[in-house]
Amino acid sequence: MKTLKIAIQKSGRLNEKSVEILKNCGLSFENYKSSLISTVTNFPLEILFLRDDDIPEYVQDGIADLGIVGENVIVEAGAEVTYLQKLGFGKCTLKIAIPNESRITEIAQLEGKAIATSYPVILEKYLKENHVNADIRTISGSVEIGPGLGLSDAICDIVSTGGTLKSNGLKPFSEVMKSEAVLIGSKGSELLPEVQELLQRILSVLRAKETKYVVLNVAKTNLKKVVDLLPGVKSPTVVPLFDEEWVAVHSVIAEHDFWEKINSLKAAGAQGIVVMPIEKIIA
Ligand code: ATP
Ligand code: MG
């Protein structure tokens, strides 16, 4: 069996969730902060801990077969890799922001303006699509202080809550790109059986995250109403109770409209509702 290599961020915003998803796939490994490589003891896999900027290239060149990194970093690097799966964490948006007092209201008004960013490739593509010529000033960090220092008229940077913009007297102006952490592979890696196996495990962890396991009691007279509200994987399981008038219903429900669903179940006569997390759903 081939030993795969997966590159993940050594420290930073994506490290913890990347480690967590691999652990939830049932992989055993030591997560020593000091080591740059860790061997999984129960799967043919080595984990490389790298700066996130280096991950796209490692995967493109096949030094690592797989990687977990933000889409923003992949697109900026222009790396030729295969997107295998969005992972649902590390969500953020790359935005252009302008000083609060700026009179710019339309993208066309960025013509000839200086924009500071750590994402020159993505910004250039965006400006081109919008037929704007601007002066892109590439800096590696603390982009938000650009306008205050007179370095630029606007910035293009990652925004999640907007707090950093606010504290630097900036307001968001337009959205350039949405990003989240993704699993990428070297070209052709998706054909390897070990990659397929790992991908299946990741999918089963992601599916489980989107759902909850629910057990509830309902009088038989209300059973139809309650069952109609539940999709289940096939159909809900109905179990007899000691009290012959009542049954217990077991089902899986989606996380996204969880509270709405619980409230309609209650209204339909469900009682003693117990909700449990699901670890994995094997397709
Ligand atoms: P490294 O030391 O590995 O180079 P870094 O400082 O470049 O790390 P982090 O700040 O740890 O990067 O961010 C990693 C990724 O997390 C970003 O590329 C982006 O995809 C995602 N992310 C999510 N929310 C945010 C945010 N609010 N600010 C910056 N990045 C975010
Ligand atoms: Mg980085």
Side-chain angles (χ1 to χ4, degrees), residues 9 51-53 73:
Q9 194 188 25
R51 287 282 310 269
D52 69 345
D53 316 65
V73 177

Side-chain angles (χ1 to χ4, degrees), residues 214-220 222-223 226 239-242 245-250 265-266 268-274:
V214 182
V215 178
L216 56 85
N217 294 338
V218 63
K220 279 184 179 167
N222 289 326
L223 181 59
V226 163
V239 188
L241 289 184
F242 183 72
E245 307 284 296
W246 285 70
V247 287
V249 176
H250 293 226
L265 286 169
K266 271 179 24 196
Q271 291 183 12
I273 304 174
V274 177

Side-chain angles (χ1 to χ4, degrees), residues 8-15 50-55 69-74 89-93 119 140 144 157-162 164 179-181:
I8 67 172
Q9 194 188 25
K10 178 168 169 55
S11 62
R13 291 171 199 269
L14 302 182
N15 166 267
L50 303 174
R51 287 282 310 269
D52 69 345
D53 316 65
D54 297 332
I55 294 175
V69 66
E71 285 173 282
N72 55 315
V73 177
I74 307 165
F89 62 90
K91 289 190 177 170
C92 57
T93 311
Y119 295 94
S140 61
E144 299 86 355
D157 203 9
I158 286 177
V159 177
S160 50
T161 60
T164 315
S179 176
E180 69 182 86

Side-chain angles (χ1 to χ4, degrees), residues 33 74 151 189 281:
K33 281 280 167 206
I74 307 165
L151 173 78
S189 66
I281 296 184

Side-chain angles (χ1 to χ4, degrees), residues 101-197:
E101 64 281 6
S102 171
R103 270 181 257 124
I104 295 175
T105 54
E106 289 169 41
I107 292 180
Q109 290 171 288
L110 289 171
E111 183 73 28
K113 296 280 192 290
I115 310 176
T117 188
S118 311
Y119 295 94
V121 173
I122 298 174
L123 177 59
E124 189 174 357
K125 186 163 161 274
Y126 176 80
L127 292 174
K128 219 177 218 159
E129 282 164 10
N130 286 283
H131 314 291
V132 170
N133 267 308
D135 173 14
I136 298 174
R137 306 254 162 104
T138 306
I139 44 179
S140 61
S142 308
V143 168
E144 299 86 355
I145 60 172
L149 295 176
L151 173 78
S152 66
D153 304 293
I155 66 157
C156 173
D157 203 9
I158 286 177
V159 177
S160 50
T161 60
T164 315
L165 289 185
K166 218 174 202 172
S167 59
N168 283 285
L170 301 169
K171 58 183 179 187
F173 171 68
S174 75
E175 194 174 300
V176 174
M177 171 186 180
K178 278 197 187 306
S179 176
E180 69 182 86
V182 289
L183 177 74
I184 53 170
S186 315
K187 285 267 147 85
S189 66
E190 67 278 7
L191 303 173
L192 298 170
E194 297 83 3
V195 168
Q196 280 300 327
E197 167 67 21

